[in-house]
Amino acid sequence: MSKPTVFLARSLPEAALNHVSQFCHLRIWDESKPLTREALAHELADVDGAMLTGIGADAELVKHASKLKVISTATVGYDGFDVAGLAEQNIYVTNTPYVLDETVADLLFGLILSGARRIAPLHEQVKAGNWTKQTTAQSLYGQDVYNQTLGIVGMGRIGEKIVHRAKEGFGMKILYHNRSSRPEIEKKYGAKKLELHELLEQADVVVVMVPLTEATKHLIGKEELSKMKETAILVNGARGAVIDEAALIEALKQKTIFGAALDVFEIEPLPPGHPLLELDNVTLTPHIGSATAATREAMALRAAENLVAGALGQKPRDALS
């Protein structure tokens, strides 16, 4: 039996490449050239599987890909993929859940601390030589984290990891807003489920961890921001469009909330001159939730395993439909 052929939009770490090449013929895009939608459609036309990390796909894109059985992505998020439309053409879409949970939770708690204690802005102040004997103590003040109230919007796996760090390490009170109740979280951590407006009114730190859907786009907007405490921190580790960025910028400028810490944005990378770059009450990181070598390698291997399974005609472990 001949090996199936798969297309990789970018190369992979050695262990993942080795796994794929053991079972499949590989075709890897030359990353020095832009992969246009037209070129991608051409590449998919005669392969059994594809890995498209960072690139979306829909039914129209694959209408001539008669052999295609699986599209794998080495990410948790899959909002760029029309999962239902691709399933109608008998194409699996797979992601990489679980692998990155602890790593992302580490970063999110780092963002909580930086947002509250202004670590990133004050770091820049020191580097710029603006910490002098004339600097007032009050100008360096931040907000406490220990024993404060954490509100998680979207209590999934990563939300639970953040809660563990908050409760066990910082003695925080836990509130959450979620489509469904999480009684095991309530029992283990004393968490309380609230409506969104109640959580925003009560939390000292609000962490947004919902997936991006039509229902969650701009879930946090002007009205929601107005309900938050003036001393509150807003942290986003989900998708940029879950927060109305223009409304957040206005709230930060007017100091109706204390600060924000963001790993995701409506436009990525942030363009030069973006208003967020001018503010001194934000921490900004370049979408690095899972960005450690060990985690990215583990995600690539998991994505490779999904790709191989689908290309061989099996249902992948992480099939989304």
Side-chain angles (χ1 to χ4, degrees):
M1 181 177 177
S2 62
K3 290 182 177 181
T5 300
V6 298
F7 170 72
L8 307 182
R10 62 181 67 169
S11 192
L12 297 173
E14 184 177 1
L17 274 178
N18 288 343
H19 180 76
V20 178
S21 61
Q22 181 180 351
F23 298 96
C24 306
H25 296 296
L26 282 173
R27 199 158 73 215
I28 305 175
W29 183 255
D30 179 356
E31 294 180 40
S32 66
K33 301 187 297 184
L35 180 55
T36 64
R37 183 176 171 89
E38 182 181 12
L40 178 56
H42 176 75
E43 292 290 343
L44 298 178
D46 62 348
V47 296
D48 300 277
M51 189 178 299
L52 303 181
T53 301
I55 302 171
D58 53 40
E60 177 67 21
L61 179 70
V62 302
K63 64 182 180 180
H64 299 303
S66 59
K67 294 173 59 181
L68 191 64
K69 303 178 187 70
V70 61
I71 297 175
S72 174
T73 177
T75 62
V76 170
Y78 52 89
D79 43 279
F81 295 91
D82 177 9
V83 176
L86 292 164
E88 288 178 1
Q89 300 199 40
N90 298 312
I91 298 170
Y92 291 117
V93 177
T94 71
N95 66 341
T96 56
Y98 312 109
V99 182
L100 75 174
D101 294 357
E102 298 287 1
T103 302
V104 175
D106 283 350
L107 177 74
L108 267 291
F109 216 88
L111 289 175
I112 291 171
L113 292 171
S114 184
R117 296 301 303 272
R118 301 172 57 212
I119 293 171
L122 293 177
H123 166 79
E124 291 301 319
Q125 182 174 328
V126 173
K127 286 182 67 177
N130 295 328
W131 179 39
T132 70
K133 291 186 181 298
Q134 285 70 48
T135 303
T136 64
Q138 289 83 354
S139 70
L140 306 177
Y141 284 177
Q143 300 292 336
D144 286 322
V145 174
Y146 180 78
N147 211 31
Q148 299 302 295
T149 299
L150 172 67
I152 300 280
V153 181
M155 184 62 83
R157 299 182 314 276
I158 297 171
E160 183 178 351
K161 304 293 186 184
I162 297 167
V163 164
H164 176 77
R165 289 156 171 75
K167 188 70 174 181
E168 301 302 320
F170 288 81
M172 299 185 81
K173 305 175 188 70
I174 308 298
L175 308 175
Y176 76 101
H177 174 73
N178 206 52
R179 286 182 301 177
S180 56
S181 296
R182 297 290 306 275
E184 72 282 11
I185 304 296
E186 294 173 15
K187 181 178 180 180
K188 186 173 182 178
Y189 298 108
K192 184 177 182 181
K193 184 174 184 287
L194 297 178
E195 295 299 319
L196 180 59
H197 71 91
E198 297 174 307
L199 180 148
L200 295 172
E201 290 166 353
Q202 296 180 38
D204 299 299
V205 178
V206 176
V207 178
V208 183
M209 290 304 299
V210 295
L212 178 61
T213 65
E214 289 184 9
T216 63
K217 183 175 181 180
H218 288 186
L219 178 68
I220 307 296
K222 182 176 181 180
E223 181 179 351
E224 289 73 27
L225 289 162
S226 71
K227 298 182 185 302
M228 294 177 63
K229 300 178 181 181
E230 289 187 3
T231 54
I233 314 300
L234 179 63
V235 179
N236 189 6
R239 285 291 184 268
V242 170
I243 294 176
D244 182 341
E245 218 163 74
L248 174 59
I249 289 165
E250 186 61 22
L252 292 168
K253 285 181 176 178
Q254 299 299 322
K255 300 192 186 305
T256 56
I257 65 173
F258 183 79
L262 312 171
D263 186 46
V264 289
F265 308 91
E266 292 201 71
I267 300 174
E268 296 182 358
L270 279 177
H274 192 283
L276 283 171
L277 302 175
E278 308 301 320
L279 299 174
D280 64 0
N281 51 351
V282 293
T283 292
L284 310 172
T285 53
H287 204 148
I288 56 168
S290 62
T292 69
T295 295
R296 289 285 173 86
E297 288 171 9
M299 292 169 70
L301 182 57
R302 179 96 169 221
E305 291 168 350
N306 287 324
L307 175 63
V308 167
L312 292 174
Q314 304 161 10
K315 183 172 183 177
R317 173 169 53 168
D318 300 310
L320 292 166
S321 62

